[in-house]
Amino acid sequence: MNKKTTYVVLMFICTVGFWLFNNFYTPDTYTDKNVSVTDVEVEDLYYLQPLSTTGDIVRHNYYTLSYNEKYEQAEWVAYSLKREDLTKDKRKRPYFIEDPKVETKSADWRNYKRSGYDRGHLCPAGDRKFSVYAHNETFYTSNITPQKNDFNAGIWGDLEKMVRIWAKKDKEVYVVTGGVLKGDMDVIGDEDVAVPNYFYKIIAKGKKDNLKVIAFLLPHKESRKPLTSFLVSVDKIEKETGINFFEALPNEIEDKLEKGINRSGWVF
């Protein structure tokens, strides 16, 4: 075999190998294989889980998400946050990896490289320090979205801290959060990961017959305004996202919770 033929064969093998790797490689997992979703307590407020517009719901041990392949990120991430979850354990920051439970493959972390955007967590790593597995699960790329640093470390971070304060005060809250995936959005990386122009967060607390809900819609930019400036109704977020958030509740309760802004019971 001459050098030219050898080169062609090697190139063919490399091309086939890359194609197989790209299409069939399943990344490692950060999820505890010895624990099932039903073994953990994140299902306490399961009836508050939103509907999925894509049908691609992924349940991890410590949060649930609906993945939107078109925009290469979750349209929502939902999780329960309890007082006892908020520990001060120090956790080593792992690598971001693709989510092995997303059938279409979640976006590669390299899309964010040199993009100018943070890899913004939707379920914050800071809310999941109580175990190595819970913390590391937040580093699946299905749980991140492109965020400007002054937004991520600014007003968005302030809202995350506020949610922790409420969880400590009220023992447990249920959080649904994500970017508004519509309109004219910038994209980053080879996979065209969308950069949302707005982000939302809905927080619920209390029992099924006495729920309290508060919702926020924030423009994706730095802001020094108070968090109360971004209060909206759940109906407003449903209109913007096309997502039905409390479909499992009786209609009269759902309508009451979604139609207005009620700050009662939420201390800022």
Side-chain angles (χ1 to χ4, degrees):
M1 186 181 293
N2 58 41
K3 289 184 178 180
K4 184 177 180 179
T5 303
T6 301
Y7 175 78
V8 171
V9 170
L10 288 174
M11 285 295 296
F12 176 78
I13 292 173
C14 289
T15 301
V16 171
F18 177 80
W19 183 84
L20 289 171
F21 178 87
N22 193 49
N23 288 276
F24 296 101
Y25 167 69
T26 301
D28 198 0
T29 178
Y30 286 149
T31 303
D32 188 347
K33 298 176 182 178
N34 297 315
V35 177
S36 68
V37 172
T38 55
D39 291 333
V40 294
E41 296 180 345
V42 297
E43 301 296 328
D44 289 3
L45 296 173
Y46 175 72
Y47 58 86
L48 296 178
Q49 180 178 295
L51 292 183
S52 169
T53 69
T54 65
D56 193 1
I57 292 181
V58 173
R59 287 193 176 89
H60 290 299
N61 286 352
Y62 301 101
Y63 63 89
T64 301
L65 64 91
S66 172
Y67 198 74
N68 193 317
E69 174 66 21
K70 179 179 179 180
Y71 300 108
E72 288 291 6
Q73 62 196 278
E75 62 177 356
W76 55 256
V77 171
Y79 62 98
S80 169
L81 183 61
K82 298 182 179 183
R83 179 187 292 171
E84 57 265 32
D85 294 340
L86 297 172
T87 69
K88 294 184 179 180
D89 296 282
K90 292 183 179 180
R91 302 294 177 195
K92 184 178 179 181
R93 184 182 179 92
Y95 293 108
F96 286 97
I97 64 171
E98 293 174 31
D99 190 334
K101 287 191 174 184
V102 175
E103 292 185 4
T104 55
K105 297 175 62 178
S106 60
D108 191 295
W109 67 269
R110 294 174 184 84
N111 289 285
Y112 291 77
K113 195 172 182 180
R114 292 189 292 275
S115 69
Y117 290 94
D118 288 356
R119 301 174 183 93
H121 284 76
L122 292 173
C123 178
D127 288 355
R128 290 291 182 257
K129 290 184 177 180
F130 55 86
S131 84
V132 173
Y133 282 112
H135 179 258
N136 289 358
E137 268 193 346
T138 68
F139 285 81
Y140 288 135
T141 57
S142 57
N143 183 49
I144 63 172
T145 181
Q147 289 186 334
K148 297 175 182 178
N149 179 260
D150 55 10
F151 173 81
N152 185 24
I155 190 69
W156 188 250
D158 292 341
L159 181 53
E160 292 177 339
K161 292 173 185 175
M162 193 75 252
V163 172
R164 293 181 190 121
I165 291 172
W166 289 330
K168 288 178 181 178
K169 177 180 178 294
D170 298 304
K171 296 184 180 180
E172 181 180 21
V173 295
Y174 187 78
V175 185
V176 184
T177 189
V180 176
L181 303 178
K182 77 168 192 179
D184 184 17
M185 294 182 287
D186 289 337
V187 295
I188 61 171
D190 293 337
E191 295 178 276
D192 291 339
V193 180
V195 181
N197 295 314
Y198 289 85
F199 287 90
Y200 69 88
K201 199 178 292 289
I202 300 171
I203 306 99
K205 65 180 180 179
K207 301 299 180 183
K208 194 171 185 177
D209 58 349
N210 188 32
L211 280 173
K212 293 184 181 297
V213 172
I214 196 165
F216 299 84
L217 183 63
L218 290 79
H220 187 190
K221 62 182 181 180
E222 181 184 15
S223 177
R224 298 185 182 277
K225 293 180 180 179
L227 287 171
T228 51
S229 301
F230 304 103
L231 287 170
V232 296
S233 67
V234 176
D235 276 340
K236 170 67 173 176
I237 297 177
E238 287 190 335
K239 181 179 179 181
E240 294 298 319
T241 61
I243 299 169
N244 191 335
F245 287 97
F246 297 120
E247 190 271 341
L249 292 174
N251 289 336
E252 62 274 16
I253 296 177
E254 181 183 2
D255 292 342
K256 181 180 178 181
L257 290 174
E258 293 182 354
K259 69 179 181 180
I261 301 171
N262 187 353
R263 286 181 51 179
S264 176
W266 302 95
V267 179
F268 286 84

